[in-house]
Every structure is written in structure tokens, then in C-alpha cells.
Amino acid sequence: MKKLIESLSVIEKKVLPYLEGKSISEICKKSNLDKVSVLRALEYLQNKKIIELETEKKKVVDVGVNGALYRKKGLPERRLLFLLKEKRIASIKDAEKESRLNPEEFKVSLGVLKEKALIEIKNGKIILSASKEEISKKSLEEIFIESLPIDEDNLTDEQKFSLKNLLKRKNIVEIEERKKFLIKITSLGREVMNSKDISKELIEQITSEILKKEQNWKNKKFRRYDITLKVPKIHGGKRHFVNYAIDYGRKVWTEMGFEEMGGNIAQSSFWNFDALFTAQDHPVRDMQDTFFLSQKTELPEKRLTESVRLSHEKGVSGSKGWNYNWNEEEGKRMVLRTHTTVLSARTLADTKKEDFPKKYFAIGKCFRNETVDWSHGFEFNQTEGIVIDPKLNFRHLLGYLKQFFKKMGYEKIRFTPAYFPYTEPSVEIHWFHPEKKIWLELGGAGILRPEVVVPLLGLDISVLAWGPGFDRILMDYYQIKDLRELYKNDITQLRKMKSWMRV
Amino acid sequence: MANVKFNRAVFEKEIGKLDEKMQERISLFGTPVESLNEETLELEIFPNRPDLLSYQGFKRSFLSFLEEKTGFKNYPFNKPEKDYEVKVDSSVKDVRPFTACAIVRGLKLDDPKIKEIIEIQEKLHATVGRQRKKLAIGVYPLEKISLPINYKALEPDKIKFQPLESQKEMSGLEILQKHPTGKEFAHLLAGKIKFPVFTDSKGEILSMPPIINSEITGRVSLDTKDVFIECSGFDFFVLEKALTIIVTTLADMGGKIYQMKVKDKVTPDFKTETLNLSLEKTNRILGLELDQKNLKKLIEKMGHNYKDGKVEIPPWRMDILHEIDLIEDVAIAYGYENFEPIIPSISTIGGENSREVIKRKISEILAGLGLLEVSNYHLTKKPDQFTKMGVSEKEEFGFIELESSKTEFNIMRKDLTHYLLKILSENVDSEYPQKIFEMGRIFFLDKNKRIAEEERLSIAVTPGNFTDCFIISI
């Protein structure tokens, strides 16, 4: 019993003394609470078995939007009548203007007054025919409006008549179905109401005011809380799950001593392809595979452009090159970058010998002109790393790959030969899927070809590079089967999505 | 990317049982196993190795890799006989300037072999041939044609022959307009005044490259024993290599190779190239400690010959541009699985891009305020970007269009807001209030009409707590 009383909330306590045989609106008045709070309090009390609530559905007549307004300002016909009381006679036009009624209200008012024989209309003029008493007497409708709300079942004949008239007019009265509550106090409820403990003051909420002064809290009790109650869901904010993963990738790279490269998504073909020794007739340079933009851009400085040209046409550093005429205009065409390797190419061109050793990485969106299905998208995330130093070799590349993928959660991996236009030797990284029992491709890597490094860096050294797609890693982790899920933006799903957690 | 399918039974008979170990050897040779079932082994062949696109070519190199037959495989060939000649007319100069041709005799063909010949042509067309643009191949039964051959260009209406899969004679233009293959490749001859043709000494048209062969003189059948092969295109080096790949495949099927006189050359010339391979550089780049003997053994496993620091490269290899390509071959022969991965002892300081640091800070603050981050495509649609945002067609400007997009999207997003509103409209079923944000790149043309990119933040918050509204209505 004591516990029960200690668990009563403020609103419950407030309504408790006024429950006996009262309507909701009466309880509101007495307890000085709004209807929402009273209803809530009643519900709580019912849950605690202090009262029993029975609901009864009733049709209630109440004022509508216009009705509420007219209750304050008077019905339109009343306002017109007052105007005529002064003038006794007026042209319809003037009356409409001076009465400040809208055309509809005015029309209705004329009709109503005419029907009640309070006015006559002759030759476009309104003539008042009502006596003083008739003017000052409240109409049935007015009385009715003032008396609202009334249960439909309790209407008198007069009221029914008024209702019928008013229903013809716009939004003056409404018939609503309302729930009516019948409150029954249980025996437990009686006990609670009669208990001495009910008047004890409990601490509802901690405030700094309470805590500051000892007398405010010493020997006082907290109200009990029911922790089994259902509470509203709070959807906390969070980042998009892809970005959590990308941030983790970023952490892995920086832990390994790599500096982040940034750069544009729209790039010239020169940087995206030519600088990476991708011949101008290579299929990836078709509009079928790559998004081209109609804009063109300038090529970089002549020295660089010419050494890239040489690399393609005749080859550099002992290479045969691709043996064709390299076209400058083709290099100026803008594309949406097809790989983050374009950032590596630009970075290589900016790196100086004095800066060695250098390690760079990038994570970002890349694009290909492709229709979307479960495993392919026209946008994808790629991550990219390069290591620049004269002393590097193939085993170092494999060492970094092993370390990188281990940190990304892939223990059992293997390396197989591969082909990319800009690396040699090239490597494909495979991961052994423990459930599917097959090797799945994780990404590509290699040592950048001299035809790439020499024109950009001016030196013939081994530059290690790898650029695994990031989406496969994401999909594995979040167990997403369809790539399109990454861009679905289903708010319910995003709220439920687990966060990236890898230590 | 090209996949090839080999007959499993033939593979197991001639190369070895396709157990797990063999499958791993195949992958470590640089030809990933795409699929394997009772009948077929499917491999992916990387674009640098068109010489592996036929079963014969693959077998040749793979057996060497397995150390069955290492080193350079020599193919005997015969000098051109009388009339083994292709006369190249100067009229082809502006259309399709080069051809490389050969004759192979004494073939015993069956259906699988004919299929293999057709397939290697198609694979070469699709890869090094750049969909027949750079290279087109034709194979003809020698018994139906009379030597020597002419390669020339004619006006389209003067070309009349019955193309493959057709019942009647058609003109050059008709083929491009009506024949299915003609329509598919018509763009390769678009705008040309004359079309190239091969004719025999009687003036019979054999084919109109790179489009189609004649039904009469250009269809290889089970009765065919001797064939004439031509490769036409724009890069003689590529033609010669492709021809070598085909004739060696046919030789491996039992044929005898005959060269032909083509203009002032003799093709295929089987000339091998020699490149230096430095032991020191190989060891430096691979991180190994090989000696000369090891190096010789490894590079010969990959089908090359090696002597005193020089590598003789087989004529069907198209991918050796530089010493580094040979070093990769050494690495493959050594086995990628045998390299011990190590981390080099170099020290660098890591760091994030400052832009990303700021973005993360902002997103953390917003997430702390209860906002949910969303992620949209960088591409968008004009109606979403403009019309639905109340921008009339006249006011659309400064956006960047994509050329020939295969997707439903045709422009780059100019702002993030329209995407956020779209998300709200698609999520009316999710509980309210909804509070979302996105940070990302937007694209527009600056005042100099150049493409500009900017990072943007966009936030959308829906009003109200809808559960409260329910209580009020009781």
C-alpha cells in the first residue's frame, strides 16, 4: 500500500480527490489540469487498479469552427439586425458593405431574417419590420449555441429544431462521436484515498534547487518509478554505417603511417588514364564504361605532358611503349574518376626526392558507367595506398597487404597474379570465405610500372600500390547481400543498423 | 575481361586431374578459375595474355609452368609456296591499311576443333581486337578459293557477295543495313567511301573485313583440310601477333604452317624478340636471392628461352613491353605463394586530410543532437534536382551533364537538399520525428564555366511528435 502510494505521480494525486461521479471536464476544472493530463492520470490510476474506467460512446453536439467564432461575435443575422436597427431601411448593397459580412454570410442572414419575418425586401432595399422586443430577443439558435456541448440524446424539441437549421449552415455546429468515461473507484482506491500517506510530499524530479539545500531533500522520499512500464522509443542520432566503416579504414591507414590524399571526383582523362599508362584505345576509356562529362580541361605543365606522351608513344626507361600517336585532346576530356589511383598519380607528380620515404592513402567514391544490380553499382567506394621509397620490393608489397587486410578483418588471404595497365608485377588478393569455402577477390595491387613512375616522379624506383574496393568489405561486415542497400536510406533500417565495431 | 571455357575431359587427359591442387596451380598461374563443373572448366584470361585465349595456347604455356615442357616451343614453318601471296592495293590505305596472312595445311577438323577456331577468333576480336576495330580475323577453306589473294577497297555498290547466314547476294551497303552482323559492326565503316574486301584470283569476294565472310568461300567445314587466314586492321604489330596466336593454335591441332607474301613482307615471320633481364634487378624488385641458374629455370618455366642475361620471348607474347614484365613472369614462376611477406623498415608519420577531420567533427555534433546521417548518390535526375524543387526549366543552369549514362541518372547533384526531401517523402512509414543530414560533394559550373566541387552540409528535420497528437484525439 505504501509502495503504491509512493508510486503515484503528481497528476494522479491531483485528480484523486475529485473522482467520485464527476465528468472529465469537471475533473479538469477542479484539479486545474488540462484534459490530456486528466486522461493520462485516469489511465495510470486504472493501471494501478485504483479505479475502473468504463467508456461509453456518445454523440455530442458541439460548436464548429464558425460556431465558436459566432459565439463570441454573434451570429451574422444578429449583426445584420443590429445594423438595420439603426437604419430601419437600407439598400442591399450598402447593407452588405456596412455589415462587414462575407457574401455567403450575408446571403444566409437575409434568408434567415426574412423567414422569421423580421425584414422585408422590396426593390433592392431591406426594410426592417421587427419590433424592438423582437430585435432584442435571443433567437432559438443563439440560445442553442450558447448551451453547447449537449448530448444528442438529451436534446429538447426546440433544440432539435435549432440543430436542424444550423446544420444547414457551414461549420456552426458539429455532431461528434465522443467517448464518455464512467469512473468507478475500487476498494483499493478507497483505501488509497483514505490513507494518511497520500498527503506526504515526494520528490518527483531532481533539480539543483532541491540539491542545494539540505532541508529540501533530507528525510524525503522519491516517488517510485515503475521501470517495467513501456516508454517511448528514442532514436539516437548516428552516422551512416558506410561512413563508420570508412572512418575505421582511415584509422587503419593512419596507424600504419599513411598520409591521406584528397582530391576531386571530376578529373581529366590525362590524370585518370594517361598518367597511369592506360592506352587511349583501352576499352575502359569508352563511354560504355566510363562517365564522361562534356567539359574539357587544361593539361598540366608541358614537361609532364610530354613525358607522358613519350611514355605512351615510344616508351621510357627501356619500355617499348604502346606504339601509337598519343592525342592531347583525348587527355583533356573530363571524367568521373574511375579509381582513386588517379589521386596517387597526382600525388606522385607532386612528391620530391627529398621527401622519401612517403606513404599515402585515399578512401573515396569512384564511378563507372554501368547499370545497377545487386553486385555492381555505378558508384563504389575504393581505398588506395602507395608507398614511395627506393628500397622497396615485392615482398614489402605483400607485407603491407597482409597487414592491411588483417586489420580489416581478413586473416586467411592469398595472393595470385593479376593484370592492371599500370602495375607490374600485379597481384590479386583473395580471401577464403569460411562458410562458402571459396576464395573471393578482395582487390588488386602491384608495383607501379616504370612507364607510370618515371614521367611522374622523374626517377625509376619501385612504388608499391594497392586499391581494394571497399564495398565488398562493407557488405561482408554488415552482411548485406545487395549493394543497393548502401544507398537505400530507409530511415527505419538506418536506425536499427549496427555500428561498425572492430578492435 | 574475357572468360574461356575448356572441355574438362580433354583437360584432364592432356594436362592433369582437376583436383583442388590443380585448381590452385591454375589460379597461381594468373588465370583465375571462374567455375568448374562436370563438363567445363571456365577461366578468366587477363587482357595482357591473348595467347592464352585458346585451349592450345593455354596448354602450351601451362604445361611449361607445371615444368612439363619448359622453355620456348618452336613451331616449324614453311616458306611461301607459289602464289601464296596477298597483293595489297593502295586503296585500303584510308580504310583498313594492314593485313597479315598465313596458310595452314593438313588439318583434321572435327566439331570441337571448328568451335575452338571460331572461339579464338571471337575472343581476339573482343579483347586485343577492340570489338574488331583494331583487329579482325578471317579463316577460309583453301579448297574453295584460288590463290593469289587480293586485298583492296571497293565502292560499296561494287561489292556483291552472299554473306554468312544469308540466302542471297547482297551489296556492301545492304550488308551494313540489313544483315544482323553487318548492322552490329556498321559503325566501323561509317563514313568510308570505299569498303575493304579480300578477293581471290578469280575475283570472287571472300569477305568484307571487319564485317563478314562469304557464305561460299568463307565457311570452314568438317571437310576443310587447308585454311587461309587473314588478320586486318590498323596496327601491324598487333596483326602479326594475333596471326601467330592463331597459326600456332592450328599447328597444335596438327596443321602445317605456311608463310605468305604480303606486300613487301612475309607473314607470320616468327621473329622473336630478345630483352635483357638483369639478375640484380630481378632480385632487387622481388626481394629474392636468386642465382643465374634459378633465374634461367624460372623464366623458362614461363615459356621463354634464357641465355647469359638475355631472354628470348616467344612471338605470340604481346605483353612484354619492358624488363619488368619478365620480372613478373619470374615472380609467377617462383610462385606468389612462396614469397614471404615483410614490412619494410621505413618510418613515416600518418595523418588524415584536415577536411575529413572537420567533417567528422561536424557529423559527431549532429549525431549527438539526434540526427541520422544518410548517404545519397552523387548522380541525380533533372526532375528531382529541378522540377520537384520548384525550379522551372528556364532557371536550370550551372549543372553538369553526363554523356551516354547507362543509368537512370543523367546529371551531377547540384545540392543535397533535394535528396533529403526525397528521403523524407520515401519514409512516411518510419516513426516521426525524422531528423536527417548529409555531408558531401556537390558539383556545378563556376562563373568561368569550369567544373567546381564543394563540400556541403544539408539537414532536414520533420516537425512534431505524432504520438502526442494521438492522445489529444481521444
Side-chain angles (χ1 to χ4, degrees), chain B residues 121-132:
Chain B
Q121 284 183 69
E122 279 174 2
K123 298 290 179 197
L124 286 170
H125 282 157
T127 55
V128 282
R130 304 280 191 258
Q131 309 300 338
R132 303 195 188 184

Side-chain angles (χ1 to χ4, degrees), chain A residues 221-232:
Chain A
K221 284 206 160 179
F222 285 108
R223 172 158 86 83
R224 287 184 172 269
Y225 290 94
D226 182 355
I227 55 164
T228 63
L229 272 184
K230 271 192 188 162
V231 291

Side-chain angles (χ1 to χ4, degrees), chain A residues 21-36:
Chain A
K22 299 269 192 327
S23 72
I24 302 291
S25 54
E26 283 169 311
I27 298 174
C28 287
K29 262 183 216 160
K30 296 267 184 190
S31 63
N32 214 7
L33 289 171
D34 60 21
K35 196 177 168 188
V36 179

